[in-house]
Amino acid sequence: MKSEEPVELLPQRVLAFIRQHHLLLGQAKLLVAVSGGPDSVCLLHVLVELSADLGIKLHVAHLNHQLRGAEAEADARYVAGLADRLGIPATVEQRDVGAYRAQSRTSPEEAAREVRYGFLAEVVRALGTDRVAVGHTSDDQVETILMHLIRGTGIRGLRGLQPESHWQPAESNLIVIRPLLEVSRTETEQYCAIHRLVPRTDTTNLSLSPLRNRIRHQLIPLLQSYNPQVTQALLRTAAIAADDLAFL
């Protein structure tokens, strides 16, 4: 994490990260997945600021999973309105994740993920591109590493999320990029506040039912009582694991 740097420098940091990892090499269009929360709203605003430097045209995608009723519908309206104010075209749709889960017999989180990425693959294909930017932060990285450790993992799991990864549905190859992977969740919230953005709050993030939420709200605070710098330690471990895996 680089939270000691002024949040005003966040766009420059994201630009450097994109160039360092060649996330947009030769791309003319980029789909941005926007849930309406602080991370994705920050990502969209930063990419708008950087679009001229990167030479890209943006398109927003938002999916209503039909799991949170009126709250989810309000999220969809918010994202559509935000895209309109920023002058960015948007695709806002809905899918019945509950029905898909019943059919596929997967967990709620996995069902939502599969439906969401299937939707994003459809949109990138329609746009004539192959990649989507998502708002995963360094906090998501730490949570992912801990999830892998709890379930059992090797070097590949220890490296956690990557700046770029591939998701391969039946009909296309979707490239997922994570420009905020070295940005903390606190920084995205601060960025939104500075730019007078008012992101939405997903109340399901407060539920302790999903493992990720229990890690976020219970395990990480407990680990910080043993080592206040535990998140930085886990991020270093992930970087070492990525280097080792690349060498192997």
Side-chain angles (χ1 to χ4, degrees):
M1 294 186 192
K2 299 183 180 180
S3 57
E4 70 276 1
E5 296 185 16
V7 73
E8 291 86 351
L9 298 179
L10 196 149
Q12 288 72 33
R13 286 167 50 196
V14 172
L15 178 61
F17 185 84
I18 289 172
R19 288 175 171 169
Q20 176 187 354
H21 296 281
H22 310 292
L23 299 183
L24 290 174
L25 195 61
Q27 295 296 309
K29 298 178 182 177
L30 176 65
L31 183 66
V32 187
V34 182
S35 67
D39 299 340
S40 62
V41 169
C42 170
L43 172 65
L44 176 61
H45 195 273
V46 166
L47 289 175
V48 169
E49 293 288 316
L50 298 177
S51 58
D53 289 326
L54 294 170
I56 55 170
K57 292 184 178 180
L58 303 174
H59 190 103
V60 167
H62 173 87
L63 183 67
N64 177 354
H65 298 78
Q66 294 184 282
L67 295 173
R68 295 184 292 116
E71 183 179 295
E73 293 172 2
D75 289 348
R77 290 193 297 271
Y78 170 81
V79 172
L82 176 64
D84 183 62
R85 289 194 299 276
L86 293 173
I88 308 297
T91 300
V92 179
E93 296 185 8
Q94 61 184 22
R95 299 284 191 279
D96 191 342
V97 171
Y100 176 84
R101 181 197 175 197
Q103 181 181 13
S104 62
R105 297 182 179 180
T106 58
S107 69
E109 296 77 27
E110 186 62 23
R113 179 179 181 276
E114 290 180 7
V115 171
R116 181 169 60 255
Y117 278 99
F119 160 70
L120 294 173
E122 293 174 9
V123 180
V124 295
R125 189 163 60 246
L127 290 176
T129 183
D130 63 357
R131 65 194 60 204
V132 57
V134 298
H136 292 150
T137 66
S138 60
D139 295 78
D140 294 299
Q141 173 74 308
V142 169
E143 293 160 9
T144 299
I145 295 165
L146 288 172
M147 287 179 69
H148 290 171
L149 282 169
I150 289 169
R151 291 169 173 166
T153 189
I155 294 177
R156 189 175 299 276
L158 282 177
R159 70 176 182 166
L161 300 168
Q162 294 300 289
E164 177 183 307
S165 61
H166 293 242
W167 189 81
Q168 295 179 316
E171 299 179 4
S172 64
N173 178 27
L174 177 67
I175 300 175
V176 181
I177 65 171
R178 302 177 174 90
L180 300 184
L181 204 52
E182 290 187 350
V183 176
S184 73
R185 189 170 294 136
T186 297
E187 288 178 302
T188 66
E189 293 170 350
Q190 291 174 346
Y191 182 91
C192 288
I194 287 173
H195 291 276
R196 298 182 179 181
L197 303 167
V198 186
R200 299 280 298 168
T201 299
D202 183 347
T203 56
T204 61
N205 288 333
L206 304 176
S207 168
L208 295 180
S209 178
L211 175 59
R212 182 178 290 274
N213 286 0
R214 296 199 299 276
I215 289 172
R216 179 180 303 175
H217 298 300
Q218 295 180 331
L219 180 57
I220 291 177
L222 177 62
L223 293 175
Q224 288 173 332
S225 71
Y226 288 90
N227 176 9
Q229 305 300 318
V230 67
T231 56
Q232 287 85 348
L234 287 167
L235 292 173
R236 287 196 301 272
T237 298
I240 293 169
D243 288 343
D244 287 349
L245 193 62
F247 176 78
L248 291 172

